[in-house]
Amino acid sequence: MPICTNCSHPTPYLYTVYNTANNLRLEQCTQCHEFADPYVEHDTLTLILDLMLLKRNVYRHLLFNRGSGVRRIGHSEPHQSTPHSTIPGGHENKLRVPSANEEKAESARTKARWTHILKLGTALIIVDAFIRWTHLGVSQPFDPSQLGITSWNRAAIESFIRTLVGCFIETIAFHAGVTLACFILLKSLNWVRQWRKSGVSNDANTLSGVQQEFRYSHVPLTLLYSSLTKLFLLFLLSIWRPDAPSESARPLPPEYNVTSLFSNPVIIGAFEILDEDNLDREWIVRNVLGGMAAGFGLRVVLDCHPAFTTMVVLVGWAVKTTVAKLVSEWVMAGIDERMAGEIWLAYSIP
């Protein structure tokens, strides 16, 4: 059953279609009296932008309401197809099936969800591999003696394939670690709930709409959605790198010197920390922003305390780092063993 994107209360319908696909009315939530899911009217670009801005409601729309929640009135053909949902990789919206076919419908939704995970995951892994490949500088210089329309030679392609395989293995390890941690966490919370409220914990009224509709296939999909912000910023940094300081650049006049303007050593130290030579922007985006985004997404899909989702992310990081140590030597072939491990691990955390 779909849920309200504002209060997560279960609702049978998100919108009603009259006669034509363009004639629809949004349904109100019976609990908060807001529109149950305004995102059914939004286009794909709006959804992607809200995902990058880490808005809770768009997570609930994409994870729990896609492909469901439509009611049709006034159609002459009862089995007429419904309009496509405006979400990335959208699937057809379908009428809520009768209770006798709920298991079959749930199986179809789960299959569609895993298909979307494979498609989205493949695309994001390729983007992540390209970003890491360009940053690590494993491509070989162009050989003028080779005639062709591209500077990619055999060594460069091989290094990219190694990076792609390494990213794929690490992503699988991270998702497996997070999913296992979520399984242990939810089982533990359920046991605590049963212990505190014996005989009542299994009642649906004690669970939120998110908890009632949660499936473990939501975990990898949430992690993929949460990585969009990180990968978008990293992709921009890989294309538009900061210009290297020119040796012929003239020094600033004394009156514009930072030291003369701010003689306080604390302020001078702060400026030095923000200097390009000392601040690794790619590392900050991948580790700090990526970790925060993953924790926020898990906070939405698990509907539990942020401290628990932080522990889940840390478990995933630990598993991924362990796997990264095993694959770093193979991926960074041709580089010193100790240096290869340090370079690859520095950018292996999600």
Side-chain angles (χ1 to χ4, degrees):
M1 179 181 295
I3 63 173
C4 174
T5 57
N6 296 292
C7 65
S8 75
H9 183 72
T11 179
Y13 304 107
L14 301 176
Y15 62 99
T16 302
V17 178
Y18 299 92
N19 296 323
T20 62
N22 297 324
N23 185 10
L24 60 88
R25 177 177 62 87
L26 297 178
E27 297 290 338
Q28 284 186 319
C29 175
T30 57
Q31 181 165 323
C32 66
H33 304 292
E34 299 288 341
F35 287 131
D37 191 350
Y39 282 101
V40 298
E41 291 186 316
H42 292 182
D43 57 3
T44 302
L45 179 60
T46 302
L47 297 177
I48 294 177
L49 291 177
D50 284 354
L51 271 178
M52 292 183 178
L53 295 175
L54 302 180
K55 292 189 177 182
R56 177 191 59 186
N57 291 6
V58 72
Y59 274 89
R60 290 175 174 173
H61 167 76
L62 293 175
L63 294 171
F64 300 105
N65 293 347
R66 64 181 312 172
S68 61
V70 57
R71 174 176 56 182
R72 287 195 244 155
I73 298 178
H75 289 275
S76 58
E77 299 181 11
H79 298 290
Q80 184 178 356
S81 59
T82 57
H84 288 274
S85 176
T86 54
I87 56 179
H91 297 275
E92 260 191 355
N93 286 324
K94 299 179 180 179
L95 288 171
R96 189 169 183 270
V97 297
S99 57
N101 297 327
E102 284 183 355
E103 184 177 351
K104 182 178 179 180
E106 176 64 23
S107 176
R109 286 193 295 267
T110 302
K111 182 179 179 181
R113 189 182 304 120
W114 279 112
T115 302
H116 184 55
I117 290 173
L118 292 177
K119 293 179 180 179
L120 181 61
T122 301
L124 294 183
I125 289 175
I126 293 175
V127 173
D128 190 16
F130 174 78
I131 293 171
R132 200 180 303 191
W133 180 75
T134 56
H135 183 81
L136 295 177
V138 295
S139 59
Q140 300 295 327
F142 173 63
D143 186 359
S145 62
Q146 297 178 356
L147 298 178
I149 61 174
T150 177
S151 62
W152 280 30
N153 51 27
R154 181 177 179 181
I157 296 177
E158 180 182 354
S159 63
F160 176 76
I161 293 176
R162 287 176 179 267
T163 305
L164 179 62
V165 174
C167 290
F168 174 77
I169 295 175
E170 287 188 8
T171 302
I172 295 297
F174 177 67
H175 284 230
V178 170
T179 304
L180 178 61
C182 290
F183 175 80
I184 297 175
L185 173 64
L186 294 179
K187 290 296 182 182
S188 301
L189 293 178
N190 185 53
W191 179 83
V192 172
R193 193 180 298 112
Q194 289 180 353
W195 177 70
R196 297 180 60 181
K197 300 179 180 180
S198 58
V200 190
S201 60
N202 291 330
D203 189 355
N205 294 328
T206 64
L207 301 176
S208 66
V210 171
Q211 293 171 336
Q212 293 179 37
E213 300 299 324
F214 172 79
R215 303 294 184 271
Y216 285 103
S217 57
H218 287 133
V219 175
L221 187 57
T222 300
L223 295 177
L224 293 176
Y225 284 147
S226 300
S227 65
L228 289 177
T229 303
K230 170 197 68 176
L231 293 178
F232 175 73
L233 296 177
L234 289 174
F235 186 73
L236 294 181
L237 290 175
S238 66
I239 298 177
W240 293 288
R241 293 184 177 276
D243 296 332
S246 175
E247 297 180 358
S248 60
R250 295 183 301 174
L252 293 174
E255 59 271 17
Y256 293 101
N257 195 306
V258 175
T259 306
S260 61
L261 292 175
F262 304 99
S263 58
N264 191 323
V266 177
I267 298 179
I268 296 175
F271 277 105
E272 292 179 351
I273 293 176
L274 298 177
D275 188 75
E276 182 64 29
D277 297 333
N278 301 323
L279 183 65
D280 194 338
R281 298 174 182 176
E282 289 86 354
W283 188 91
I284 292 178
V285 171
R286 182 175 293 274
N287 291 273
V288 180
L289 182 59
M292 292 175 58
F296 176 83
L298 292 175
R299 169 71 176 86
V300 174
V301 74
L302 297 179
D303 197 17
C304 60
H305 196 275
F308 295 134
T309 57
T310 302
M311 292 187 292
V312 169
V313 173
L314 292 177
V315 171
W317 280 356
V319 174
K320 185 174 184 179
T321 303
T322 303
V323 175
K325 292 180 179 179
L326 301 177
V327 302
S328 60
E329 298 180 10
W330 178 79
V331 174
M332 305 295 292
I335 302 180
D336 180 73
E337 180 178 337
R338 181 177 59 84
M339 184 181 299
E342 293 178 356
I343 294 175
W344 183 256
L345 289 176
Y347 296 94
S348 64
I349 299 180

